[in-house]
Amino acid sequence: MPKYGPFPSKEADLNSYFQIVVPYLLENRIRLLISQANQDLISSKLEAWNEIFPQSQNSNTKTKTIIQIKDEAKEELMTALRAVYADIPASIWTIEDRNTLNMPERSTSKTPVPVPTTVPIGQVNTSRRLEHTISFTNEDGSSAKPFGVHGCQIWYKIGTPAVDPSELSFMFTDTSSPHIHQFNGEHVGKNVYYWLRWENTRGETGPWSDVVMATITG
């Protein structure tokens, strides 16, 4: 059964889903009005997933770092697919589309999931060397996520503060606080600048949080 929207919760099933839906979307790109940018995005994210996923399943290559990279590739591909699905006009979905992509038609009687309007408040614990523990709450101090929110997107930049979101690197979308991230020794002493935002179950995002800065300790 799906865990979040159309995506299966078991990774073996999720991998099969990725292998079916990306080629399907590309084959039907014109009818589904998928932009060239989104075509390139899902193709590159699938390529990254296909490279790392087998390594995470092989006991000879499976490491903590490989697992982390695999988790990031999974989140990035799901985020890209959510964006593509959201861009397809409801009027052009066919039954085959919905069955293939596991996107059943929404009941009009249900309360729609709102776009997040609040911001997460981030804190970073740097007490462990080469590791940041990133905690987040809602702006009202509540540990509960806002209604309709799937998780908290964590983006970052190492070295100097980011002026524009285009300078950021995606870290992870975590469904519960905290998130733990390990760094390489080459980054010891450098500052990391974190930007956070909520993501709802439809892949829509809210406003950016205040920047949180933390140093990588050695």
Side-chain angles (χ1 to χ4, degrees), residues 89-149:
S91 61
I92 65 175
W93 285 81
T94 65
I95 294 177
E96 182 183 8
D97 295 336
R98 294 191 178 280
N99 289 339
T100 301
L101 305 178
N102 196 24
M103 290 285 289
E105 189 168 7
R106 296 180 182 274
S107 171
T108 56
S109 63
K110 293 182 179 179
T111 302
V113 174
V115 176
T117 57
T118 62
V119 298
I121 303 299
Q123 292 183 320
V124 183
N125 185 323
T126 63
S127 61
R128 297 177 66 90
R129 65 185 304 268
L130 298 177
E131 182 176 288
H132 281 178
T133 300
I134 306 148
S135 303
F136 50 88
T137 60
N138 198 19
E139 64 182 20
D140 61 2
S142 171
S143 59
K145 298 190 296 287
F147 171 70
V149 163

Side-chain angles (χ1 to χ4, degrees), residues 16-178:
S16 298
Y17 178 85
F18 287 157
Q19 308 309 320
I20 292 171
V21 301
V22 173
Y24 182 87
L25 290 169
L26 295 176
E27 182 179 349
N28 293 277
R29 61 192 180 278
I30 296 175
R31 178 176 60 82
L32 296 176
L33 304 178
I34 301 173
S35 68
Q36 185 62 54
N38 277 340
Q39 293 175 47
D40 295 341
L41 179 63
I42 60 176
S43 295
S44 64
K45 297 305 181 185
L46 179 62
E47 183 178 348
W49 166 261
N50 286 340
E51 180 178 351
I52 197 65
F53 180 68
Q55 297 180 52
S56 72
Q57 305 301 299
N58 187 329
S59 59
N60 294 322
T61 56
K62 181 179 180 181
T63 64
K64 190 173 184 179
T65 299
I66 291 294
I67 294 299
Q68 181 177 316
I69 296 172
K70 180 265 297 179
D71 288 341
E72 291 174 357
K74 175 175 67 176
E75 287 294 329
E76 290 180 5
L77 180 49
M78 289 195 297
T79 297
L81 288 172
R82 288 191 189 102
V84 169
Y85 297 162
D87 280 346
I88 300 174
S91 61
I92 65 175
W93 285 81
T94 65
I95 294 177
E96 182 183 8
D97 295 336
R98 294 191 178 280
N99 289 339
T100 301
L101 305 178
N102 196 24
M103 290 285 289
E105 189 168 7
R106 296 180 182 274
S107 171
T108 56
S109 63
K110 293 182 179 179
T111 302
V113 174
V115 176
T117 57
T118 62
V119 298
I121 303 299
Q123 292 183 320
V124 183
N125 185 323
T126 63
S127 61
R128 297 177 66 90
R129 65 185 304 268
L130 298 177
E131 182 176 288
H132 281 178
T133 300
I134 306 148
S135 303
F136 50 88
T137 60
N138 198 19
E139 64 182 20
D140 61 2
S142 171
S143 59
K145 298 190 296 287
F147 171 70
V149 163
H150 158 61
C152 179
Q153 287 188 0
I154 303 172
W155 297 73
Y156 70 108
K157 183 182 178 186
I158 299 176
T160 58
V163 177
D164 185 87
S166 63
E167 301 176 46
L168 300 171
S169 297
F170 177 76
M171 179 175 287
F172 201 72
T173 298
D174 213 325
T175 58
S176 61
S177 177

Side-chain angles (χ1 to χ4, degrees), residues 163-212:
V163 177
D164 185 87
S166 63
E167 301 176 46
L168 300 171
S169 297
F170 177 76
M171 179 175 287
F172 201 72
T173 298
D174 213 325
T175 58
S176 61
S177 177
H179 177 73
I180 299 175
H181 185 81
Q182 283 85 29
F183 294 91
N184 295 327
E186 64 185 275
H187 295 307
V188 167
K190 296 180 181 179
N191 292 331
V192 184
Y193 297 86
Y194 291 98
W195 295 32
L196 282 63
R197 61 181 178 180
W198 295 124
E199 177 188 311
N200 69 14
T201 54
R202 295 186 298 178
E204 298 167 322
T205 54
W208 289 108
S209 69
D210 290 337
V211 178
V212 180

